Amino acid sequence: MLLANSVYVAWQDSVSRSWNTVARLTRNGDRYELAFTHGVEKLNSIPKDLFRLDINDRYRSNELIALFKNKLPPRSRADFKKMANWLNLSGDEPEFDLLSKFGLIPGSDSILVYPSPDIVDSRYSLEFFVHGIRHMHPDVMKWCDEIEAGFNIAPLLDVQNPVDPNAVALKSPDGTIIIGYIPTFYAADFRALLQNPELAKDAKIT
């Protein structure tokens, strides 16, 4: 199980459907530090409206602010353990570790919280939800219902994607079904790795 020490906040433009990373939350021991990224510069007042904070400052606190707490279902929920297990969690983890997984679930606020990739001994690994499944062919949902954990999925560089020039699609190994896409905020990394033949031959998506 991958547990992050930093998570990023991405906001989706409802018109273009593009994702913009606007902030980073870091865990330092028992304290949190929130800093805004360069992604806020082209979004005018949107980041300030979301956080109600000055985007030029760094913020340190002993607790998660409301925007992050709202991403976590209460532990008292009857199905909390079931949801946690679905995300490869026990449900007993600290709030930050829960946030790194629950934050990936889309909500009504156009915000996702996603963890940094795990890089150990020059190996890059991460867990993510496939994006865009509901926009694919209806056969995709049937395919997803029938597939088993650990099944290999093939990447496809979508070089003419009109929204994201770094887009990486995911397809069934036989190439007959496009399942969805790597999340935009990881796409540039994936494209850089997959364009290197020496790295691509050992890459594995399951």
Side-chain angles (χ1 to χ4, degrees), residues 74-118:
R75 296 178 194 259
S76 58
R77 273 184 57 159
D79 60 349
F80 178 80
K81 285 284 188 179
K82 181 179 180 180
M83 294 173 65
N85 183 66
W86 183 51
L87 296 168
N88 294 327
L89 296 166
S90 68
D92 298 323
E93 291 85 357
E95 283 188 325
F96 190 89
D97 297 328
L98 295 176
L99 178 65
S100 72
K101 296 295 188 71
F102 277 103
L104 289 166
I105 300 176
S108 59
D109 56 5
S110 299
I111 291 175
L112 287 183
V113 177
Y114 66 94
S116 303
D118 189 59

Side-chain angles (χ1 to χ4, degrees), residues 31-73:
R31 291 177 61 80
Y32 304 110
E33 180 177 286
L34 177 68
F36 292 91
T37 66
H38 290 299
V40 302
E41 295 172 357
K42 59 183 179 181
L43 298 180
N44 299 319
S45 66
I46 292 171
K48 190 171 184 178
D49 293 340
L50 289 173
F51 289 90
R52 305 293 179 185
L53 298 172
D54 187 332
I55 61 175
N56 296 307
D57 289 340
R58 289 175 177 263
Y59 295 88
R60 297 176 178 84
S61 64
N62 293 322
E63 295 185 356
L64 294 175
I65 63 174
L67 183 143
F68 297 119
K69 280 186 175 290
N70 291 340
K71 288 291 179 184
L72 302 177

Side-chain angles (χ1 to χ4, degrees), residues 96-161:
F96 190 89
D97 297 328
L98 295 176
L99 178 65
S100 72
K101 296 295 188 71
F102 277 103
L104 289 166
I105 300 176
S108 59
D109 56 5
S110 299
I111 291 175
L112 287 183
V113 177
Y114 66 94
S116 303
D118 189 59
I119 303 174
V120 178
D121 296 331
S122 299
R123 293 190 63 85
Y124 178 108
S125 57
L126 63 111
E127 297 175 355
F128 59 88
F129 287 115
V130 176
H131 281 198
I133 289 179
R134 64 191 177 95
H135 300 297
M136 300 295 114
H137 190 278
D139 287 348
V140 171
M141 293 307 299
K142 182 176 183 294
W143 188 89
C144 289
D145 287 339
E146 295 176 351
I147 203 66
E148 296 181 357
F151 193 86
N152 287 335
I153 300 172
L156 175 66
L157 303 184
D158 188 353
V159 296
Q160 294 185 343
N161 188 285

